[in-house]
Amino acid sequence: MFRYILGLLLACSSCAFASSKIKQVELDSIIAVVLPEVARNDSPCTTQSWGLDLSQEQDHALYGLILTAVAMAKPVTIEGAEECIGSGRFERISKVSIKD
């Protein structure tokens, strides 16, 4: 049991998380840039912003979820993929959860 829990912790220890409301969403060419209200200091990329590559079909659903959260003024939890996109500036979003 201990090894299982330790394995889960190690698997998620490299994931970057942020939980806050979204301050701004903007489009930079084919990259949707997401700026949270709370500044983060753990980004592996050159900026503290999150990004979605809209040329990738799987990122369209995450973009819709983020826009829904903004419209509802709900905080979100974002999980990063530790992959930089947009010339290395933005961390790619891998998961989004809307909070109550």
Side-chain angles (χ1 to χ4, degrees):
M1 180 69 168
F2 175 73
R3 288 183 185 171
Y4 178 73
I5 293 172
L6 182 61
L8 284 175
L9 289 173
L10 290 174
C12 288
S13 65
S14 62
C15 303
F17 291 93
S19 185
S20 74
K21 287 189 177 181
I22 304 293
K23 179 170 60 174
Q24 184 176 346
V25 177
E26 57 188 52
L27 289 175
D28 181 4
S29 186
I30 59 168
I31 305 295
V33 180
V34 179
L35 304 165
E37 284 184 350
V38 176
R40 49 187 293 230
N41 57 5
D42 60 351
S43 177
C45 308
T46 59
T47 68
Q48 302 303 311
S49 302
W50 302 94
L52 291 166
D53 184 351
L54 296 181
S55 69
Q56 303 295 316
E57 190 172 325
Q58 67 270 17
D59 286 359
H60 287 256
L62 294 173
Y63 185 55
L65 191 58
I66 287 171
L67 292 179
T68 301
V70 169
M72 295 172 55
K74 295 278 188 174
V76 296
T77 298
I78 297 174
E79 182 178 328
E82 293 198 11
E83 172 188 346
C84 298
I85 58 174
S87 301
R89 297 181 301 171
F90 315 111
E91 182 174 2
R92 184 179 194 149
I93 297 171
S94 65
K95 182 179 176 182
V96 175
S97 301
I98 296 178
K99 299 297 191 183
D100 280 331

